[in-house]
Each structure stands twice: as C-alpha cells, then as structure tokens.
Amino acid sequence: MRLRTALSSTASVVCALTLLSACDSGSATSSSGGKPLVGVDYPRSDTDFWNSYIKYTPDSAKQLGLSLKTTNSQNDVAKLTANVQTFISQGVKGVAMAPQDTAAIAPTLAQLNAKKIPVVTVDTRPDSGKVFMVVRADNRAYGEKACQFLGTKLGGKGKVVMLEGGLDSINGRDRTEAFNDCIKKNYPGIKVFGEATNWDGAVAAQKLQTDLTAHPDIKGVYMESSFALSGTLQVLKQKGLLVGPKDKKHVFVVSNDGIPEELKDMAAGKIDATVSQPADLYAKYALYYVKAAIDGKTFKPGKTDHDSTIIQVRDGLLEDQLSAPLVTADGAAYGGVASVKSDDPSLWGNNLG
C-alpha cells in the first residue's frame, strides 16, 4: 500500500490493506455493537453538493464499521460549536466536520484536541489549530482550471464575472486568488468582475444581473460552486442569453461541484464546464481517516493508493488532496488542462441514485 502508515500489529496491517474494512481497535467503541462512535457535522443542507455528501456518509460509515451521530450546523460556526459539545457529551471517539468559517473554528478544535478526540475536516482547511487530516481537493486548481477554460473559449479577450464564495473560507480565497492570478498571467486581455456572494445564490444572481446590465458584452461567468447555478441560468434567460454554445450570444459558464444538475445542464448546452468536487470520496475518506486516527495510525506526505497526494500544509497538518477533474461537454483539453467528458460514467454526478 502506498499510504505510508505506522501500524502497531499484524491485524492493523490487514486493516490498512483493506481500505474499507470493519476492523476495530478493541477500544474507543460505542456502548452498543462494539463499533467506534463517530460524530459527523454536516455543514449545510441547502445545496445539492452537500446533500449528496450527506447521502453518501451513512453508507461509508457502514462499510467502515462505524456508529454515527450526526448534526447540521447550517453554515453557522456557533451551531457547529454547540454541536461539538453535544458530540462530546455523547462520548464520540472522533469527529468529522466541514467548518465554513475556517478562522473561527480554532477554539473548538483546541477543545477537542485537549480531550484527545481526533478531528478530520472535509472540504475546508482550518486557518489554525490541529486536525488529524484534511480531506480536500486542490481548490487553487479549481480556479486555475476555470481560468484556462474561459481564457481558451474567449480567445484571451473580453469580460467575465466571477461569483466568489465566502472569503472567510479557505476555499473561497483559494478559488478567487487562483482564478485572478491565472487570468493576470495567461490572459491579460480579460477583465474580471469579482463579486463577493458569501455562497448565497440570491446575492450571486442579483450581482450578476447588475453586471450584465452595466456590461452587456460580458461573455463568461465563473461560479465558485453550484450554489449559484439556478440563479445564474435564470438571469441569463431573462437577458435572452441562455442560448446554445454555437450562438454568438452564448455566455460561457463554468461551475464547481459536479452535481447531477450541472452535468444535465452541460448536455443541454446551458453551461459549459465544471470541476467535479468528489462528494462521494469526501464522505468515504473523511470517515476512513477518523477511524485511522482512532486505531492509532499515522500518515506522511506522499502519493496514496486512491489517486491523490497527501501534502504537509504546515507543521503538524496534513491534507489528502483528492482528484477533482475539469468536466466539459467534449472532453477536450483547454489551456493544457485535460478534461473529462460530461457523460463519463466515472463521475459521481452520473451515478447518484
């Protein structure tokens, strides 16, 4: 196995080689069934992406032999803090969470660390504080892939709107900074209108409408996640711009997430590309690493056995960067970035029942 782990026994080696095993550590179990009790806080349930993650989580727990307690912090760090207190009182042995405010979560992480309850963060990386592992994709690559696609489609000239996520989140910052840096370096003839939205679809739609009114020659939109999908398509339709990619009025739209609706809209010619953020693998490996922490395993930077790379972000903080491909209607390369065709059966968005 290419994950370099420190294992304490032959049984642990067997458990590591069988990624989705139900091995128990003999301790740190719930009071019933002998399964380790793990708390999972869902960050929100108002987007298709996170609802998909929520759907995948129980199956992943079952495969790993874990017992679950779940909460939903609804994009509110105060609720997340309260939910963690509930987990502690319930005797969980590990926690998976996806804090949307990556700075404000530090005191909660410190409390869990003091109680020796390992934490895995999903999709987001805390600005400070200790966690066992971050399960995430390379979010700077999201912005770069969107830049290369739009830059190629626009021939390096024109105007685009970037509907930013929350800049209190490492994801919003990474995607925004990488998109801007890539445009500046590779496509200086493109003007970017950056719009802060705090991951709010209504805000994104209102700002896109304002930009299109002031600049009717805008030819591209980069949505930092599918939160803005419905509103963006509605605004384009109202403006008479929701036309096929061969129509000269077409506005090229790139999203991030890879939800089923994006793939359907791509097939219909309504949007042009997305980056498939792996909701299924987030659920799978978040719980895998929680269980690994409970079992006393450790990891080092390097290639994994699941097409990803563990990097060291800072001293004591590791991040498993899962694969997140660019997805397009034709599966071609754009600006040197390879893409996967939108109907590819390997995409989780084409397999969500």
Side-chain angles (χ1 to χ4, degrees):
M1 182 175 182
R2 284 178 288 162
L3 283 175
R4 287 168 278 179
T5 59
L7 304 172
S8 59
S9 67
T10 301
S12 295
V13 173
V14 173
C15 183
L17 289 173
T18 306
L19 184 62
L20 293 179
S21 72
C23 300
D24 284 331
S25 63
S27 61
T29 58
S30 64
S31 58
S32 62
K35 297 180 178 180
L37 181 62
V38 171
V40 177
D41 183 80
Y42 302 134
R44 55 200 301 168
S45 54
D46 58 350
T47 70
D48 289 344
F49 176 80
W50 283 114
N51 284 333
S52 299
Y53 169 78
I54 290 169
K55 182 174 181 178
Y56 283 119
T57 297
D59 286 342
S60 295
K62 183 178 180 180
Q63 289 175 314
L64 283 161
L66 298 173
S67 180
L68 283 186
K69 294 288 185 180
T70 63
T71 56
N72 192 318
S73 52
Q74 300 173 359
N75 202 26
D76 185 331
V77 71
K79 289 182 180 178
L80 175 53
T81 298
N83 291 344
V84 167
Q85 304 310 312
T86 299
F87 286 152
I88 292 172
S89 70
Q90 292 170 332
V92 301
K93 304 305 179 183
V95 172
M97 63 170 71
Q100 303 297 282
D101 186 332
T102 53
I105 196 60
T108 300
L109 295 178
Q111 181 184 18
L112 288 165
N113 186 48
K115 292 182 177 295
K116 301 188 183 305
I117 299 174
V119 178
V120 172
T121 63
V122 184
D123 182 51
T124 63
R125 178 204 308 146
D127 294 356
S128 61
K130 181 179 180 181
V131 299
F132 181 77
M133 183 70 74
V134 177
V135 174
R136 188 170 176 254
D138 182 349
N139 277 246
R140 284 194 63 86
Y142 288 15
E144 291 165 359
K145 290 173 182 178
C147 156
Q148 294 292 358
F149 180 84
L150 286 175
T152 300
K153 285 293 188 181
L154 272 61
K157 297 179 181 179
K159 300 174 182 178
V160 303
V161 177
M162 174 168 53
L163 299 174
E164 301 166 355
L167 298 184
D168 58 351
S169 160
I170 185 65
N171 289 355
R173 295 195 298 272
D174 275 0
R175 297 175 198 184
T176 297
E177 291 169 4
F179 185 83
N180 282 331
D181 290 348
C182 174
I183 290 289
K184 183 178 180 181
K185 177 182 178 181
N186 299 292
Y187 306 104
I190 292 179
K191 180 175 178 55
V192 179
F193 299 98
E195 300 290 2
T197 71
N198 197 32
W199 309 112
D200 187 314
V203 172
Q206 184 273 320
K207 291 190 173 183
L208 176 59
Q209 186 170 43
T210 298
D211 285 336
L212 284 169
T213 299
H215 306 279
D217 55 342
I218 284 170
K219 298 301 293 181
V221 178
Y222 170 38
M223 307 180 299
E224 290 191 5
S225 114
S226 59
F227 77 96
L229 179 63
S230 177
T232 293
L233 295 184
Q234 184 177 16
V235 169
L236 292 176
K237 184 176 181 179
Q238 290 172 349
K239 295 285 186 181
L241 300 173
L242 193 59
V243 294
K246 294 183 179 180
D247 192 306
K248 65 180 182 180
K249 293 190 297 181
H250 182 75
V251 175
F252 292 96
V253 178
V254 183
S255 187
N256 283 162
D257 277 343
I259 62 172
E261 194 64 30
E262 288 175 338
L263 302 182
K264 292 175 185 176
D265 287 338
M266 204 177 303
K270 295 179 180 180
I271 71 169
D272 303 275
T274 189
V275 177
S276 181
Q277 185 169 220
D280 55 342
L281 300 184
Y282 279 1
K284 177 178 179 178
Y285 289 106
L287 291 176
Y288 166 71
Y289 283 115
V290 171
K291 187 172 188 299
I294 294 170
D295 289 344
K297 300 171 188 174
T298 60
F299 299 86
K300 295 179 180 180
K303 293 290 186 180
T304 73
D305 65 346
H306 50 271
D307 190 30
S308 67
T309 302
I310 296 176
I311 66 168
Q312 182 168 318
V313 179
R314 56 178 181 264
D315 188 34
L317 183 64
L318 298 177
E319 177 173 302
D320 188 354
Q321 294 193 329
L322 303 179
S323 176
L326 176 68
V327 181
T328 63
D330 59 7
Y334 291 88
V337 176
S339 74
V340 175
K341 197 171 181 181
S342 59
D343 61 358
D344 192 302
S346 69
L347 296 170
W348 69 268
N350 286 325
N351 294 293
L352 189 65

